[in-house]
Amino acid sequence: MRLNGLDDGNGGRGGAGTGSESGTQGDLRVSQKSLAALGDAAYQLFGHLERDGKHAKAASASAATGLKADFDVGRALSHVVDRWEAQVRTVLDACAHISNHLEYSNTAHRKDDEHALTAISKISELDAGFDDRDQRR
């Protein structure tokens, strides 16, 4: 799926970049600040869900156990508790993955930027390399 336009309100398609300074369509731009905020939100959601996602487990499991002997709803409630736990684990895994990936990406890109800056900032060495290459011809 690719999203690179939207309805302009007149039945036509306006570009995603319409009204931007660059005038390009379909460009995704993101800043380190917004990526950091997203990673932080994922980390915070992980912490809250890990703590709060289990509040009803003990009471629900206890009720399910008490009801199983006499009512079908006991088995159903037990199934709901199991599914809820599985869903909480899935969301926790996704939050951890997002947070970890953004942190890894940030670190990797920062190292790449530092390497490129170091290499480019040595202009005299770069010039000498070009001079050496030209003399070998």
Side-chain angles (χ1 to χ4, degrees):
M1 181 174 96
R2 182 175 170 186
L3 177 64
N4 63 358
L6 52 97
D7 186 347
D8 66 3
N10 296 321
R13 288 175 45 92
T18 302
S20 70
E21 303 82 47
S22 68
T24 61
Q25 294 183 357
D27 288 344
L28 175 62
R29 295 176 189 238
V30 66
S31 68
Q32 282 302 114
K33 184 177 180 180
S34 62
L35 288 177
L38 182 60
D40 187 51
Y43 180 77
Q44 287 181 16
L45 178 59
F46 179 90
H48 289 297
L49 187 58
E50 187 175 44
R51 181 186 66 237
D52 299 333
K54 300 174 185 175
H55 284 311
K57 180 183 178 185
S60 298
S62 176
T65 301
L67 293 169
K68 275 184 189 178
D70 299 319
F71 301 100
D72 289 338
V73 74
R75 284 189 298 281
L77 184 55
S78 180
H79 176 73
V80 168
V81 170
D82 292 343
R83 295 298 298 164
W84 174 256
E85 283 296 307
Q87 295 301 317
V88 167
R89 282 192 305 274
T90 299
V91 174
L92 286 172
D93 289 346
C95 289
H97 179 75
I98 291 167
S99 180
N100 291 341
H101 180 71
L102 287 172
E103 180 61 32
Y104 168 79
S105 295
N106 184 32
T107 300
H109 289 298
R110 185 175 359 134
K111 287 179 182 177
D112 290 345
D113 288 347
E114 289 169 359
H115 175 72
L117 180 63
T118 300
I120 290 174
S121 66
K122 298 179 180 180
I123 298 298
S124 61
E125 292 177 28
L126 186 60
D127 284 343
F130 285 126
D131 292 342
D132 289 345
R133 185 189 66 193
D134 290 340
Q135 291 173 3
R136 284 184 255 143
R137 288 185 188 181

Coordinates of all heavy atoms in Angstrom, one line a residue, residues 119 122-137:
A119 N 35.4 11.9 8.2 CA 36.0 11.6 6.9 C 36.0 12.9 6.0 O 37.0 13.2 5.4 CB 35.3 10.5 6.2
K122 N 38.4 16.0 7.0 CA 39.8 15.9 6.7 C 40.0 16.2 5.2 O 40.5 15.4 4.5 CB 40.3 14.5 7.1 CG 40.2 14.3 8.5 CD 40.7 12.9 8.9 CE 40.5 12.6 10.4 NZ 40.9 11.3 10.7
I123 N 39.7 17.4 4.8 CA 39.7 17.8 3.4 C 41.2 17.7 2.8 O 41.4 17.3 1.7 CB 39.2 19.2 3.2 CG1 37.7 19.3 3.6 CG2 39.4 19.7 1.8 CD1 36.8 18.4 2.8
S124 N 42.1 18.1 3.6 CA 43.5 18.0 3.1 C 43.9 16.6 2.8 O 44.6 16.3 1.8 CB 44.5 18.7 4.1 OG 44.5 18.0 5.3
E125 N 43.5 15.7 3.6 CA 43.8 14.3 3.4 C 43.1 13.8 2.1 O 43.6 13.0 1.3 CB 43.5 13.4 4.6 CG 44.4 13.6 5.8 CD 44.0 12.8 7.0 OE1 43.4 11.7 6.8 OE2 44.2 13.3 8.1
L126 N 41.8 14.2 2.0 CA 41.0 13.9 0.8 C 41.6 14.4 -0.4 O 41.8 13.7 -1.4 CB 39.6 14.4 1.0 CG 38.6 14.0 0.0 CD1 38.4 12.5 0.0 CD2 37.2 14.6 0.3
D127 N 42.0 15.7 -0.4 CA 42.7 16.3 -1.5 C 44.0 15.5 -1.9 O 44.3 15.3 -3.1 CB 43.0 17.8 -1.3 CG 41.8 18.7 -1.4 OD1 40.8 18.2 -1.9 OD2 41.8 19.8 -0.8
A128 N 44.8 15.2 -0.9 CA 46.0 14.4 -1.1 C 45.7 13.1 -1.8 O 46.4 12.7 -2.7 CB 46.8 14.2 0.1
G129 N 44.6 12.5 -1.4 CA 44.3 11.2 -2.1 C 43.9 11.4 -3.5 O 44.3 10.6 -4.4
F130 N 43.2 12.5 -3.9 CA 42.9 12.8 -5.3 C 44.2 13.1 -6.0 O 44.3 12.7 -7.2 CB 41.9 13.9 -5.4 CG 40.5 13.5 -5.0 CD1 39.8 14.2 -4.1 CD2 39.9 12.4 -5.6 CE1 38.5 13.9 -3.7 CE2 38.6 12.1 -5.3 CZ 37.9 12.8 -4.4
D131 N 45.1 13.9 -5.4 CA 46.3 14.2 -6.1 C 47.1 12.9 -6.4 O 47.7 12.8 -7.5 CB 47.2 15.2 -5.2 CG 46.5 16.5 -5.1 OD1 45.6 16.8 -6.0 OD2 46.9 17.3 -4.2
D132 N 47.2 12.0 -5.4 CA 47.9 10.8 -5.6 C 47.3 10.0 -6.7 O 48.0 9.4 -7.6 CB 47.9 9.9 -4.3 CG 48.8 10.5 -3.2 OD1 49.6 11.4 -3.5 OD2 48.6 10.0 -2.1
R133 N 46.0 9.9 -6.8 CA 45.3 9.2 -7.9 C 45.6 9.8 -9.2 O 45.9 9.1 -10.2 CB 43.8 9.1 -7.6 CG 43.1 8.3 -8.6 CD 41.6 8.4 -8.6 NE 41.3 9.8 -9.0 CZ 40.2 10.4 -8.8 NH1 39.2 9.8 -8.2 NH2 39.9 11.6 -9.2
D134 N 45.6 11.1 -9.3 CA 45.9 11.8 -10.6 C 47.4 11.5 -11.0 O 47.6 11.4 -12.2 CB 45.6 13.3 -10.5 CG 44.2 13.6 -10.4 OD1 43.3 12.7 -10.7 OD2 43.8 14.7 -9.9
Q135 N 48.3 11.5 -10.1 CA 49.7 11.3 -10.4 C 49.9 9.8 -10.9 O 50.9 9.6 -11.7 CB 50.6 11.6 -9.2 CG 50.6 13.0 -8.9 CD 51.4 13.3 -7.6 OE1 51.9 12.4 -7.0 NE2 51.4 14.6 -7.2
R136 N 49.1 8.9 -10.5 CA 49.3 7.5 -10.9 C 48.9 7.2 -12.3 O 49.2 6.3 -12.9 CB 48.6 6.6 -10.0 CG 49.3 6.4 -8.7 CD 48.5 5.4 -7.8 NE 47.8 6.1 -6.8 CZ 46.6 5.9 -6.3 NH1 46.0 4.8 -6.7 NH2 46.1 6.6 -5.4
R137 N 48.1 8.1 -12.9 CA 47.6 7.9 -14.3 C 48.7 8.1 -15.3 O 49.6 8.6 -15.5 CB 46.5 8.9 -14.6 CG 45.2 8.5 -13.8 CD 44.1 9.4 -14.3 NE 43.0 9.2 -13.4 CZ 41.9 9.8 -13.5 NH1 41.7 10.7 -14.5 NH2 40.9 9.6 -12.7

